[in-house]
Amino acid sequence: MAQRREFFPRQAVDAGTNRWDWALLPLVLAALLLLAYGATQMARPFQLGDVLPLSLEPAALPYYLLRTTLRMAMAMLASLVFACAFAVLAAKYRAAERVLVPMLDILQSIPILGFLSITVTGFIALFPGNLFGVECAAVFAIFTSQAWNMAFSLYQSLRNVPAELQEAAAVFQLSAWQRFWRLELPFAMPGLLWNMMMSMSGGWFFVVASEAISVANQSIKLPGVGSYIALAIEAKDMAAIGWAIAAMLLGIVLYDQLLFRPLVAWADKFRFEESGAEAAPQSWLLAWLRRTQGVQAVAGRLLQFLARSLLLWPRRHDGTSIRARPNPASANAQRIWDALLAAAVLWALWHLVRFVHTEVGWAELGQVLKLGAYTLLRVLLLIVLAALVWVPVGVWIGLNPLWAGRLQALAQFLAAFPANLLFPLAVVGIVRWQLNPDLWLSPLMVLGTQWYILFNVIAGASGVPTELRYAAHNLGLKGWLRWKRFLLPAVFPSFVTGAITASGGSWNASIVAEYVSWGDTTLVAQGLGSYIARQTAAGDFPRIALGIGVMCLYVMALNHFVWRRLYRLAEDRLHF
């Protein structure tokens, strides 16, 4: 086992303060003031029709960065709660898994604009006369770009907890609550943290859409970096876009240094192998916090509260007794559940058939299915190409913790860079050299989603036990044999998680990547994404619903027939 380092050392803490507390005090006060100011601005009075002032002046960017960062932090917290609830239910209850996993497939295939159009009116109605309703709609939109990736990651980790650790938990008579906090969440923590980084970075890709909201035939642009970018694109102000990229870089560096790097350094104690001190992740902020007495006292009380909560639901029997055996599922209850699911599916199919017959026609459905096949081919080809590039890179970074720390912020910035800022360059290049849009617009689909593969592979490689690395070295595994017998099986479950989320993200990105405009020039590639984009521009709601429904169908079929089978392969044959 790796040497365990507490978040704060286990030693007696004086009630007083030291010089490190006084040095930390200005930082804490500044953070509280910024949070209070940002919160008051998010909950200010507002009525539909009011104009929220926006400016392209660089001096406004720090304020916009604060508002965007608060929205993304709120969405991240909600995503973490959702991921924990989803993963526990889906991993531990077969009946829930059969509903939740397909539901998550559907949710990740619905475009973010679809969520906004459904929820914004409801959020505004919850907070009449207040801007917080619009802010909640924006936070929910960012939540939909973060939650699915984290939920899939935690679900995969809970399904792949080593059998010997499960047996140890049974021997120690851990209850379900204790097992989650003492075994399952710590085991999943390294992978979950990397996926939280990816989700936070991926949220920047959708921040433009989430901060520019249309409701009641009105456009509301919330103050933020996303609205600043949208305004700069409308004005074709390249200098302003440059300032926005600089502000994004500053924001990424700040939450890397103040949030993710301390968490990664702290979570290193959950690695289940020996690790050299020189390779352990380091964080100046975590080292600072460990020197403060006041923060140690607060953290100690929080840990005591968590420890007491673990005693609330103890296990009442020996982990090896007959009572510990799982109760067999009732055959009648299983039949009733299957019948309810079948009835729900038949009801949905009946309404789908009636909708197609009365609203769009069967010829239109056949055309949309053919367009979906074009997009499916692009998605599969791009995922394969992205895997060939980023799996080796992710394995190398994950097996070298020192480089992982150095490249962490760079990887987050590349993942956070809004790929739609590169679309105008693609349009100019395709028009200038008279290239085929069906071919050369395709890479735009994966620009913002390929990072899911990289981050998940890094997480999988960083969790490979050191004894396996030594065994592979002692056996003389080199070249392709080393990849085949050691590296690829080690990162395969994490790769599948990244491929699922990258695939779902690529389907969503196809809506903007297959229908690209810059000024008065528009390029269209044949596919389901361009179909949805055209119908959205035309306001044809039945055909918009048809396009989104067909996209959900393709995503669910791809996940069921490809990715789920790869999941089972990882669990049955490639399990460490």
Side-chain angles (χ1 to χ4, degrees), residues 443-467:
L444 301 180
M445 293 170 52
V446 80
L447 284 179
T449 59
Q450 59 186 334
W451 311 109
Y452 289 109
I453 296 176
L454 174 64
F455 276 63
N456 278 276
V457 171
I458 291 175
S462 63
V464 174
T466 302
E467 56 268 22

Side-chain angles (χ1 to χ4, degrees), residues 25-341:
L25 183 61
L27 180 62
V28 174
L29 292 178
L32 292 177
L33 287 175
L34 288 175
L35 287 175
Y37 177 69
T40 56
Q41 293 299 308
M42 293 175 70
R44 57 183 291 190
F46 173 79
Q47 297 290 341
L48 286 179
D50 293 350
V51 178
L52 297 174
L54 291 176
S55 172
L56 289 180
E57 291 295 327
L61 273 173
Y63 171 65
Y64 294 164
L65 180 62
L66 173 65
R67 297 285 294 271
T68 298
T69 302
L70 287 178
R71 294 184 192 108
M72 297 185 73
M74 294 169 62
M76 176 59 65
L77 182 60
S79 299
L80 185 59
V81 174
F82 170 83
C84 290
F86 169 87
V88 170
L89 292 175
K92 294 182 178 295
Y93 301 98
R94 174 63 177 168
E97 181 185 29
R98 298 175 63 184
V99 175
L100 292 178
V101 174
M103 184 181 298
L104 196 61
D105 293 338
I106 295 175
L107 290 174
Q108 73 164 342
S109 63
I110 297 177
I112 186 174
L113 295 178
F115 285 110
L116 268 177
S117 62
I118 296 173
T119 59
V120 62
T121 305
F123 280 118
I124 291 177
L126 285 176
F127 303 94
N130 198 294
L131 187 62
F132 194 64
V134 186
E135 292 282 357
C136 287
V139 170
F140 182 77
I142 300 174
F143 164 85
T144 61
S145 69
Q146 296 178 342
W148 322 140
N149 175 53
M150 294 167 56
F152 270 124
S153 170
L154 191 54
Y155 165 73
Q156 179 257 328
S157 296
L158 297 187
R159 290 289 299 269
N160 287 278
V161 175
E164 59 270 21
L165 296 180
Q166 297 280 19
E167 294 171 1
V171 170
F172 285 109
Q173 305 179 34
L174 298 184
S175 65
W177 180 252
Q178 294 168 335
R179 184 189 297 260
F180 176 76
W181 286 104
R182 293 189 180 275
L183 170 62
E184 294 166 342
L185 186 60
F187 175 79
M189 186 61 69
L192 180 61
L193 281 177
W194 277 99
N195 277 280
M196 287 174 63
M197 293 182 211
M198 178 63 237
S199 294
M200 180 69 82
S201 299
W204 288 98
F205 182 84
F206 297 101
V207 76
V208 176
S210 63
E211 292 182 351
I213 300 174
S214 296
V215 59
N217 296 322
Q218 299 181 31
S219 178
I220 304 174
K221 285 186 172 63
L222 295 172
V225 178
S227 297
Y228 185 93
I229 292 175
L231 193 62
I233 292 177
E234 292 177 3
K236 295 185 178 181
D237 191 336
M238 297 303 298
I241 291 178
W243 283 111
I245 294 174
M248 286 177 49
L249 178 59
L250 175 62
I252 291 167
V253 171
L254 286 177
Y255 68 67
D256 173 69
Q257 293 293 319
L258 301 181
L259 177 62
F260 288 123
R261 194 172 295 271
L263 287 176
V264 169
W266 168 74
D268 185 66
K269 67 179 182 177
F270 297 125
R271 295 176 61 186
F272 292 95
E273 77 275 356
E274 297 291 339
S275 60
E278 70 280 0
Q282 302 294 327
S283 168
W284 62 269
L285 180 59
L286 183 60
W288 187 355
L289 294 177
R290 282 172 172 162
R291 294 188 179 103
T292 60
Q293 294 181 349
V295 176
Q296 288 186 60
V298 173
R301 291 187 178 90
L302 292 177
L303 291 176
Q304 290 176 3
F305 175 78
L306 177 60
R308 292 194 189 99
S309 73
L310 297 178
L311 302 177
L312 295 178
W313 297 281
R315 201 167 187 175
R316 301 297 184 182
H317 52 77
D318 190 303
T320 59
S321 66
I322 295 177
R323 294 175 60 190
R325 299 176 183 175
N327 296 325
S330 171
N332 291 332
Q334 187 65 36
R335 293 191 185 98
I336 293 174
W337 182 247
D338 292 340
L340 290 176
L341 290 180

Side-chain angles (χ1 to χ4, degrees), residues 425-445:
L425 299 178
V427 172
V428 173
I430 291 173
V431 171
R432 179 176 180 180
W433 287 291
Q434 299 182 353
L435 303 175
N436 185 356
D438 288 330
L439 178 63
W440 292 100
L441 286 180
S442 299
L444 301 180
M445 293 170 52

Side-chain angles (χ1 to χ4, degrees), residues 285-568:
L285 180 59
L286 183 60
W288 187 355
L289 294 177
R290 282 172 172 162
R291 294 188 179 103
T292 60
Q293 294 181 349
V295 176
Q296 288 186 60
V298 173
R301 291 187 178 90
L302 292 177
L303 291 176
Q304 290 176 3
F305 175 78
L306 177 60
R308 292 194 189 99
S309 73
L310 297 178
L311 302 177
L312 295 178
W313 297 281
R315 201 167 187 175
R316 301 297 184 182
H317 52 77
D318 190 303
T320 59
S321 66
I322 295 177
R323 294 175 60 190
R325 299 176 183 175
N327 296 325
S330 171
N332 291 332
Q334 187 65 36
R335 293 191 185 98
I336 293 174
W337 182 247
D338 292 340
L340 290 176
L341 290 180
V345 171
L346 291 175
W347 179 83
L349 287 176
W350 164 249
H351 281 274
L352 177 62
V353 169
R354 189 172 66 175
F355 168 79
V356 172
H357 182 72
T358 58
E359 297 291 341
V360 294
W362 296 102
E364 185 76 9
L365 175 62
Q367 178 66 18
V368 174
L369 288 173
K370 184 174 72 172
L371 295 175
Y374 293 154
T375 303
L376 173 64
L377 182 61
R378 292 191 181 99
V379 169
L380 291 176
L381 181 60
L382 291 171
I383 294 298
V384 171
L385 293 177
L388 292 176
V389 174
W390 293 117
V391 168
V393 175
V395 168
W396 179 78
I397 295 176
L399 295 180
N400 295 274
L402 184 61
W403 278 101
R406 294 175 178 175
L407 298 176
Q408 181 174 312
L410 176 61
Q412 290 181 64
F413 175 72
L414 293 176
F417 187 84
N420 46 4
L421 293 182
L422 300 177
F423 290 3
L425 299 178
V427 172
V428 173
I430 291 173
V431 171
R432 179 176 180 180
W433 287 291
Q434 299 182 353
L435 303 175
N436 185 356
D438 288 330
L439 178 63
W440 292 100
L441 286 180
S442 299
L444 301 180
M445 293 170 52
V446 80
L447 284 179
T449 59
Q450 59 186 334
W451 311 109
Y452 289 109
I453 296 176
L454 174 64
F455 276 63
N456 278 276
V457 171
I458 291 175
S462 63
V464 174
T466 302
E467 56 268 22
L468 289 180
R469 306 184 195 183
Y470 291 156
H473 177 74
N474 293 336
L475 292 174
L477 296 182
K478 296 180 180 180
W480 170 242
L481 185 62
R482 182 170 181 261
W483 280 93
K484 180 180 178 181
R485 297 298 184 185
F486 168 46
L487 295 177
L488 289 180
V491 302
F492 189 73
S494 299
F495 164 74
V496 175
T497 299
I500 287 179
T501 50
S503 173
S506 297
W507 281 96
N508 274 317
S510 68
I511 297 177
V512 293
E514 293 179 348
Y515 189 88
V516 182
S517 298
W518 176 247
D520 55 355
T521 303
T522 300
L523 297 179
V524 179
Q526 294 189 65
L528 185 56
S530 61
Y531 176 86
I532 296 175
R534 290 197 304 269
Q535 303 307 325
T536 301
D540 193 334
F541 293 103
R543 284 172 171 77
I544 295 173
L546 176 64
I548 294 176
V550 171
M551 181 175 288
C552 293
L553 178 64
Y554 271 104
V555 171
M556 291 185 63
L558 184 62
N559 288 350
H560 179 75
F561 291 107
V562 178
W563 305 124
R564 294 286 172 257
R565 297 190 177 188
L566 293 179
Y567 254 140
R568 289 193 290 269

